[in-house]
Amino acid sequence: MESENETPLYSSRITNTYVEYLTLNYPDVDIDDVLKHAGMTHYEVEDPGHWFTQTQVDRFHDKILNETGNENIARDAGRHTASSERIGPIKQYSMGLMSLSTVYLMMGKLYSIMSRGADAVAKTKSPRNVEIIVTPKPGVHEKPFQCQNRIGTFESLANLFATGFSKIEESSCVHKGADCCHYHISWTDPPA
């Protein structure tokens, strides 16, 4: 049986978004060196059907944190998600829904395309306010940077509809002793 750190849990789409973000914003970072350090290849990162382990993702994050010196790199890369050229089917599917509220409400289904390590459930609180609860699956121990990347990704979804970033408030977090991460998300509708 595979240990939690060796179970493929995280879609290469996440790493691919990081690579695109790094290429645009940190062109001096040697992506080949980062991937080698993490035990990843370009082919794996570019394959939307590939999944990485917690160990690989941890090593990737540690290396880019060291290379960039940016303590907010995970959230910044998450904020790049909606504008990423590589997110592909998620972006196409989201745009077809035509409503930011609907995109957030579909997060349970969409989230499973990105991570096998947690379940996400969303519900409407008002026309421009939803809550999303993300609960790690048994035996999975995500790191704080993964929570920050998720927040950045949730923030970025409003950019699909040209409204700027959504506002995220996290009322509970697994990294602060809770059994789930509970996000309250609100946004402003774009002008007609």
Side-chain angles (χ1 to χ4, degrees):
M1 181 173 168
E2 291 179 292
S3 76
E4 129 197 2
N5 288 340
E6 300 310 317
T7 301
L9 295 173
Y10 306 104
S11 172
S12 61
R13 290 179 175 108
I14 299 169
T15 306
N16 215 334
T17 300
Y18 269 96
V19 168
E20 184 177 307
Y21 176 78
L22 290 167
T23 301
L24 292 170
N25 296 282
Y26 295 92
D28 294 338
V29 171
D30 183 346
I31 299 299
D32 291 332
D33 186 50
V34 171
L35 294 179
K36 183 178 178 183
H37 178 81
M40 301 172 174
T41 67
H42 279 284
Y43 175 77
E44 292 168 334
V45 171
E46 292 171 10
D47 176 359
H50 192 81
W51 295 78
F52 292 114
T53 67
Q54 186 69 52
T55 299
Q56 289 173 301
V57 170
D58 289 348
R59 291 175 59 86
F60 179 85
H61 179 264
D62 291 346
K63 184 70 170 174
I64 63 171
L65 182 62
N66 184 55
E67 292 290 318
T68 65
N70 179 356
E71 294 287 329
N72 296 314
I73 192 75
R75 188 170 183 173
D76 292 346
R79 285 179 146 204
H80 180 73
T81 300
S83 62
S84 173
E85 293 297 320
R86 298 175 177 178
I87 207 68
I90 294 171
K91 191 173 186 177
Q92 291 170 355
Y93 183 72
S94 298
M95 290 305 294
L97 296 173
M98 299 310 235
S99 157
L100 182 54
S101 180
T102 305
V103 172
Y104 282 122
L105 291 175
M106 292 298 298
M107 194 49 58
K109 183 175 195 133
L110 294 173
Y111 196 75
S112 67
I113 294 169
M114 302 301 279
S115 173
R116 297 175 178 161
D119 292 314
V121 177
K123 59 183 169 181
T124 302
K125 300 307 280 181
S126 71
R128 287 177 303 284
N129 189 306
V130 298
E131 68 179 16
I132 298 177
I133 299 171
V134 178
T135 307
K137 292 187 178 176
V140 174
H141 302 285
E142 290 186 337
K143 302 297 189 311
F145 74 85
Q146 291 170 297
C147 185
Q148 289 301 305
N149 182 256
R150 184 168 38 242
I151 289 171
T153 299
F154 290 165
E155 287 174 323
S156 79
L157 293 177
N159 283 329
L160 292 171
F161 300 89
T163 64
F165 291 117
S166 294
K167 180 181 176 190
I168 311 285
E169 293 178 23
E170 188 177 28
S171 62
S172 66
C173 181
V174 296
H175 302 103
K176 296 176 183 168
D179 60 352
C180 66
C181 292
H182 193 160
Y183 307 100
H184 301 273
I185 304 169
S186 58
W187 61 91
T188 304
D189 285 334

